[in-house]
Amino acid sequence: MTAPARLLLADDHALVRRGVRLILEQEPDLTVVAEAGDGAEAVEVARRTPLDLVVLDIAMPRMTGLQAAREIGRARTGSQPPKLLMLSMHDNEQYFFESLKVGACGYVLKSVADEDLVGACRAALRGEAFVYPGAMSALVRDYLGRLRRGERVPSTVLTEREDQVLKLIAEGSSSKEIARELTIAVKTVERHRANILAKLDMRDRTQLTRYAIRAGLIEP
Amino acid sequence: MRLYWKVVLINGVVLCLALLALVLGPMSVSRSTVASEVLVLAGGLAAILLTNALLLRSSLAPVDRVVRAMAYVDLTGPDGRLAAPPSGPGRSLVDGFNAMLDRLEEEQGTSNAKALAAQEAERHRIAQELHDEVGQHLTVVLLGLKQLEGQVPAAQAAEVAVLRESVRDGLDDVRRVARRLRPGVLEDLGLTSALAALTNDLGRHHPAEVRRVIAPGLPGLASDTELVVYRVAQEALTNAARHSRAKQVTLSLVRIGEGLVLEVADDGIGFDASTSGAGLRGMHERSRLVRGDLRITSRPGQGTTVRLAVPLAVGPS
Ligand SMILES: Nc1ncnc2c1ncn2[C@@H]1O[C@H](COP(=O)(O)OP(=O)(O)OP(=O)(O)O)[C@@H](O)[C@H]1O
Ligand SMILES: [Mg+2]
């Protein structure tokens, strides 16, 4: 078995940090090797500790999670910089797009951290993007708008099911709601989601960022 | 005071003239007044009154105009001002009245600005506390319950799972309330992102197609100006969603000359020029706070366009 991934956890609220840590440490492939109470400290720790993944709260004193992410991403020169994952209270896709822009590959809402955080960490470690649902619906709606206006879009062949899921995502339905609507398992919905992202060329951070800029969702 | 003296003077002069005419003129009044004398007296009185009336009329006309204007004046622009007569006491009256309107408008503007600023500050504080205190504690509980769920027997685990969902709902509520109170995106990520978020929200909840044209590399604005642009866009989009029945809504933000222009246009049912409401008034009020220029064009059946131009360089008043 390979060594577990080394994580840095940054959140200004000590109890939140503890809760997140307990959840992550239940997983054998993840280990929290350091903690930080604000953005500046996170940058400092990341500089001297070898890490695979940094989980950053967005709202922190001294330096926000977004600023810290940018710093961490650019500080390392020699070795591979750690992957970055944002944790946030804000249910707003703009924070997700901004996170992509500063180099993070995922965004987890605190209110679903108990369900999604572990999966997001693993996706980040694999180099995939973890697309938060609100952002996915914004992206998909933009895609459908382009399609309707006859603009050039990545040519895709979605299966009929994927197409149904796509429409429901555009309407802002959650995976659970989609599962109920189509009477399929949540896991199946998640798989369709992943396939749709792959087919629309939105699999990783770079592709997603490019798409969001073109859609005018973030400034280049 | 000068008006008072002018009235006294006019009356004095007219009465003196009448007296002189009586003393020097050929007429007289007998002890038992005869009809012809009454006729002459009546004529004289009429002449006095007429002269007096004519002279007073021009002096007092501005008073009437001011009184009338006071009843109807609307403190929302320079249209309520009176044209002053070229000279005399009437002029100072009208000038004084106009100056008072200016002052009132100025004061109303500042007190509105203060009230709006206080309201925004208070919302900001509440949202912050919701996020930083209530939200964090709920997050701790949520994560703790998840942890607990794996450690208790199956029967209790189901119970814990129910609690966990309930905490999640609470957290969602807190977040939603905080988000409505304060556009956190505006402060954290800037106007462009905040407007993009507004259009995304509309697109999610409304069947209309929402288009967004935001010029890249726009210069920054003073923070209170940004807030005004944001609030106007928010109200215009909300109105379009609630009232317009539009198929397409377009929000654009571009630079034109020395200003930034926000435009929210829909192709919906439009409305009558006489329509008013708290939302429309609020847009005008906010725009005035930052010396913006707000135009709302709408006609029944023709759609609606809300256009706000704000100056780039100058800050708030
Ligand atoms: N885009 C629009 N299309 C059609 N009608 C509109 C539009 N915007 C405003 N109106 C009309 O103008 C009226 C006044 O709008 P206003 O925003 O002042 O009030 P409101 O939206 O009804 O309430 P609120 O005070 O919550 O904004 C509306 O009730 C509606 O009839
Ligand atoms: Mg309204």
Side-chain angles (χ1 to χ4, degrees), chain B residues 73-82 96-114 284-285 287-289 291-292 317:
Chain B
V73 73
D74 162 23
L75 282 179
T76 51
D79 322 336
R81 304 297 177 270
L82 294 176
F97 177 72
N98 284 344
M100 183 193 73
L101 287 187
D102 287 342
R103 226 173 35 247
L104 273 180
E105 191 179 296
E106 179 89 25
E107 266 161 35
Q108 194 188 44
T110 11
S111 75
N112 280 351
K114 276 198 198 126
H284 280 290
E285 225 152 61
S287 134
R288 206 149 3 103
L289 295 183
R291 310 223 178 290
S317 53

Side-chain angles (χ1 to χ4, degrees), chain A residues 111-173:
Chain A
S111 67
V112 289
D114 55 332
E115 302 279 3
D116 288 358
L117 186 59
V118 170
C121 284
R122 292 197 179 122
L125 288 164
R126 282 197 304 268
E128 289 168 20
F130 181 81
V131 185
Y132 131 84
M136 176 124 183
S137 91
L139 287 167
V140 163
R141 243 177 303 114
D142 181 84
Y143 171 81
L144 290 175
R146 273 158 207 277
L147 208 60
R148 213 169 354 182
R149 294 197 293 275
E151 284 177 34
R152 232 165 54 86
V153 287
S155 57
T156 47
V157 192
L158 295 182
T159 65
E160 204 169 314
R161 239 318 135 59
E162 283 165 357
D163 199 51
Q164 286 173 320
V165 173
L166 183 87
K167 301 255 157 60
L168 289 169
I169 289 175
E171 285 162 21
S173 310

Side-chain angles (χ1 to χ4, degrees), chain A residues 13 15-16 23 26 89-95 98 109-111 114-115 137 141 149 215 217 219, chain B residues 131 135-136 146-147 164 168 171-172 175 179 184-185 188-189 192-193 196 200 204 209 212 217:
Chain A
H13 202 288
L15 284 174
V16 173
I23 289 202
Q26 280 183 328
M89 201 57 190
H90 296 281
D91 184 7
N92 188 316
E93 65 288 341
Q94 292 305 317
Y95 285 92
E98 196 67 24
L109 215 52
K110 281 191 172 169
S111 67
D114 55 332
E115 302 279 3
S137 91
R141 243 177 303 114
R149 294 197 293 275
L217 288 160
E219 284 203 51
Chain B
H131 260 171
Q136 301 292 19
K146 167 79 173 174
Q147 179 70 9
R164 192 153 60 93
R168 194 194 316 287
L171 204 46
D172 282 333
R175 214 184 38 216
R179 180 174 176 169
V185 215
D188 296 342
L189 310 178
T192 305
S193 292
N200 284 338
R204 189 154 29 233
E209 187 189 358
R212 172 183 48 234

